[in-house]
Amino acid sequence: MKTINLCFRVHQRINLKRYRFFEIGTDHYYYDDYQNEANMRRAAEACYLAANRLFLDMIESSNGRFKVSFAITGLALEMFEQYFPEVIESFRRLADTGCVEFISTPYAHSLASVYDEDEFVRQVKFHADKTYDLFGQRPTVFANSALTYSDEIGECVSRLGYSAVIVEGAKHVMGWKSPHYIYSHAHDPKLKLIVRDSKLSDDICYRFSQWNWNEYPLTADKFIGWIDQSPAEEEVFNISMGYEALGLLNNSQSGIFDFFRALPSFAFEKGISFSLPSEVLVKRKSVGALSVMYPMSWTDEEKDLSAWTGNELQHEALSKLYKLSERVSLCSDLTIKLDWLRLQDSAHFFFMATRHYVNSIQAFPMPYESPYEAFMNYMNVLADFMERVKAQYPSSIEDEELNALLKTIHNQEQEIARLNGLLKKSRRRTAENE
């Protein structure tokens, strides 16, 4: 039986304020609160609350047959808590239905998986804990920022205990293979790969409101018909996109909410179900391995990282940022930790891109007039941040000393974990004896 795995990435970028060179060393607050709150309010009202109400109604009216999953970044969750806690509550109501799954993702929607594995691991664990605290679910499936993936990233994700990764169905990786099957990691068969159908996903996200598209208007009947007409043996249709597709990229007047509302009835009529990612893994086995030697993403035709790493401005900013990683990991200053996460948001580096990207439609206006302005503003902020980090761990401390200190801390953490395990076992034995 064919099944649709509907997954949404939820991220709310945090804009930096105009930060000038002469403010370095004197102003340690970097954010445009007015614009961030305005963007949050618009997104909450036009997208998050409206879409969550729609999906809750669809779950209830279908007696739980409609299912949907979300990868909500930690930065988005922080924004919800700060400006619009109603959004958190609406996701909780969805979680209570048992028909919603939360997907793990890097806390800061960062590129840490490519630049710093230790930082990547910290963010993934931090995000999993945050998701459990808010929604009572411990994620078992992972989706990286912009679905960034390679064999190396997959190995790291597998070591963290995840059963599957949602990846992009890039042509240069898939070749003749169909995205409508479950695959496995090239060297680790335990890690399954759920492949995004990029055409069907982008038809909804980017082309739904384009009147000059040859398939316009896209109706639920037509969309389900495409799935139904695919070969009988192709059973898994992973439709993944940013949540901003509902109400922001495609406003309510476009018919996007009516489109989603009508999907279940047409799907059920054709014998097509909706599944959560973890359910897909239980019901279907891998048909083979996929090898991804170099990182790919879901962006543009190239499906690579050039949107964030394609020019010297981006390389310079990313290099300077991640050189601070070891020192920041030792800091106890919570404001430095918070700023560190916010400065890793991949949006900062996307604003520095010097070429146009086809699928780069933004839910909110670009905050800079040029990539060079984005670069200068970010580097001014980063310069101040570097001074704050160096004040705690001066550059006079050699990297060898830092590495030794980090190793000591890591060994202590392992010993604490071992002792905690022994303590739990001892308490269990005592309880059993009593």
Side-chain angles (χ1 to χ4, degrees), residues 357-370:
Y357 289 90
V358 176
N359 289 343
S360 63
I361 304 169
Q362 298 291 302
F364 300 99
M366 297 282 269
Y368 303 101
E369 293 183 1
S370 72

Side-chain angles (χ1 to χ4, degrees), residues 383-400:
D384 182 81
F385 182 73
M386 290 169 65
E387 286 189 5
R388 291 165 58 203
V389 173
K390 288 178 180 178
Q392 299 222 3
Y393 292 93
S395 55
S396 57
I397 299 177
E398 297 295 331
D399 288 341
E400 288 78 6

Side-chain angles (χ1 to χ4, degrees), residues 88-152:
I88 295 285
E89 188 54 38
S90 69
F91 276 113
R92 282 201 182 107
R93 286 195 292 272
L94 283 171
D96 290 342
T97 65
C99 299
V100 169
E101 181 172 351
F102 292 97
I103 309 298
S104 182
T105 195
Y107 191 92
H109 199 257
S110 69
L111 300 173
S113 60
V114 178
Y115 283 88
D116 188 327
E117 183 176 301
D118 291 338
E119 173 62 19
F120 173 65
V121 169
R122 282 192 291 270
Q123 285 192 32
V124 173
K125 290 180 177 179
F126 190 19
H127 178 268
D129 291 341
K130 182 83 169 178
T131 301
Y132 181 78
D133 290 342
L134 288 176
F135 308 117
Q137 283 192 27
R138 183 70 63 177
T140 60
V141 175
F142 179 79
N144 204 358
S145 310
L147 298 191
T148 301
Y149 178 80
S150 67
D151 293 339
E152 186 176 357

Side-chain angles (χ1 to χ4, degrees), residues 39-225:
N39 288 350
M40 181 69 254
R41 183 168 296 277
R42 181 187 163 209
E45 293 174 349
C47 175
Y48 305 137
L49 293 176
N52 284 0
R53 282 194 300 268
L54 170 66
F55 287 150
L56 181 61
D57 181 60
M58 291 168 65
I59 290 170
E60 292 174 346
S61 62
S62 67
N63 294 318
R65 295 173 68 194
F66 175 76
K67 300 178 181 182
V68 61
S69 57
F70 298 95
I72 313 176
T73 67
L75 293 185
L77 292 171
E78 287 182 4
M79 293 281 278
F80 299 158
E81 289 176 315
Q82 181 177 358
Y83 294 118
F84 243 91
E86 301 97 307
V87 175
I88 295 285
E89 188 54 38
S90 69
F91 276 113
R92 282 201 182 107
R93 286 195 292 272
L94 283 171
D96 290 342
T97 65
C99 299
V100 169
E101 181 172 351
F102 292 97
I103 309 298
S104 182
T105 195
Y107 191 92
H109 199 257
S110 69
L111 300 173
S113 60
V114 178
Y115 283 88
D116 188 327
E117 183 176 301
D118 291 338
E119 173 62 19
F120 173 65
V121 169
R122 282 192 291 270
Q123 285 192 32
V124 173
K125 290 180 177 179
F126 190 19
H127 178 268
D129 291 341
K130 182 83 169 178
T131 301
Y132 181 78
D133 290 342
L134 288 176
F135 308 117
Q137 283 192 27
R138 183 70 63 177
T140 60
V141 175
F142 179 79
N144 204 358
S145 310
L147 298 191
T148 301
Y149 178 80
S150 67
D151 293 339
E152 186 176 357
I153 294 171
E155 289 172 2
C156 180
V157 172
S158 181
R159 288 195 296 272
L160 287 170
Y162 289 93
S163 58
V165 181
I166 298 176
V167 302
E168 173 62 17
K171 292 179 182 178
H172 68 276
V173 170
M174 300 301 295
W176 55 267
K177 299 183 182 72
S178 167
H180 306 144
Y181 297 95
I182 299 297
Y183 294 90
S184 59
H185 185 278
H187 315 299
D188 183 357
K190 296 191 306 297
L191 184 71
K192 301 301 185 290
L193 305 181
I194 303 174
V195 184
R196 173 182 182 261
D197 187 314
S198 55
K199 181 191 178 302
L200 292 181
S201 300
D202 290 346
D203 282 346
I204 299 173
C205 189
Y206 297 113
R207 292 184 277 273
F208 186 85
S209 298
Q210 291 184 4
W211 60 267
N212 57 346
W213 178 38
N214 64 337
E215 294 290 351
Y216 182 89
L218 179 60
T219 63
D221 186 14
K222 182 190 294 186
F223 187 81
I224 294 298

